[in-house]
Amino acid sequence: MSTAADGLKIVIVGGFGVGKTTMVRSVSEIRPLNTEETMTQAGLGIDNNLGVADKTTTTVAFDFGRITLNEQMVLYLFGAPGQERFWFLWDRLFAGALGAVVLVDTRRVEDSWYAIDRLEHHGTPFIVARNNFPGSTHGLEELREALTLSDDVPLIDCDARERESSKQVLITLVNHLYTLSAAREPVP
């Protein structure tokens, strides 16, 4: 949309294969920028596909999608590549972001620690969304404890393949950002 005056940036981060590309695709109103490539032997020993052995593609750059909120406001979605070799790009990606979604696969909770650490380091508000894969473990409270999340960080379930579920994740983030903003405003 060329007439939008305000672009709002949301980042979706998490470990390799947690569903970031899938979430951007499920909720974007435009065909997202495709940065998926077929995994090759060259990635063996470099990209950790433990727990996602059936994954055949990998993100080699940022995913990008868009949601028009109204005639003047557009929400831009950036999905960060989850492989450790791309983590150096994340700090730049967080610049100008309103907030972030940390997408988690409970079969590989430890893959989420770096994302949370970087967001906290930058002071970027975030929520955590548990992407429900077959064979998922950990209930939400177990996950909160495993990630040592404070009670004020929203933690929700989602299915990144489903548009409505992904929309609910984004709505939860926006509501969290509003709550944080309202708490900072001085009381008259």
Side-chain angles (χ1 to χ4, degrees):
M1 170 172 245
S2 61
T3 60
D6 294 311
L8 308 171
K9 180 179 178 182
I10 299 291
V11 180
I12 302 170
V13 294
F16 177 66
V18 298
K20 299 174 300 292
T21 298
T22 301
M23 179 172 276
V24 171
R25 284 182 181 163
S26 75
V27 77
S28 179
E29 69 187 27
I30 62 170
R31 191 176 87 207
L33 177 63
N34 185 6
T35 62
E36 289 281 294
E37 293 295 333
T38 302
M39 292 173 64
T40 66
Q41 295 291 336
L44 289 178
I46 296 171
D47 295 332
N48 180 3
N49 68 340
L50 187 64
V52 288
D54 294 338
K55 188 169 172 55
T56 60
T57 61
T58 185
T59 303
V60 295
F62 301 115
D63 297 311
F64 175 77
R66 183 184 75 197
I67 301 171
T68 301
L69 301 175
N70 60 39
E71 288 184 15
Q72 297 299 311
M73 203 171 302
V74 176
L75 181 65
Y76 295 111
L77 304 172
F78 291 85
Q83 303 95 311
E84 187 173 339
R85 62 190 158 113
F86 290 118
W87 286 354
F88 73 95
L89 299 170
W90 287 16
D91 289 344
R92 293 272 190 189
L93 183 62
F94 297 152
L98 287 177
V101 173
V102 177
L103 201 55
V104 177
D105 178 349
T106 60
R107 301 170 299 178
R108 297 174 292 123
V109 172
E110 64 280 356
D111 290 352
S112 306
W113 293 334
Y114 182 78
I116 292 170
D117 177 66
R118 297 316 306 156
L119 290 166
E120 288 175 341
H121 172 77
H122 285 279
T124 304
F126 66 94
I127 68 164
V128 175
R130 177 180 73 172
N131 196 6
N132 290 317
F133 287 95
S136 290
T137 57
H138 301 301
L140 287 180
E141 286 312 308
E142 290 174 294
L143 181 57
R144 181 176 297 283
E145 187 176 316
L147 295 173
T148 61
L149 292 177
S150 65
D151 289 338
D152 62 328
V153 174
L155 172 61
I156 63 170
D157 272 321
C158 75
D159 183 335
R161 300 169 298 181
E162 296 180 7
R163 180 176 176 81
E164 287 305 312
S165 185
S166 293
K167 277 175 48 179
Q168 192 57 51
V169 169
L170 297 176
I171 290 168
T172 300
L173 175 60
V174 169
N175 287 338
H176 179 58
L177 295 171
Y178 178 78
T179 299
L180 293 174
S181 176
R184 285 192 297 260
E185 290 181 10
V187 179

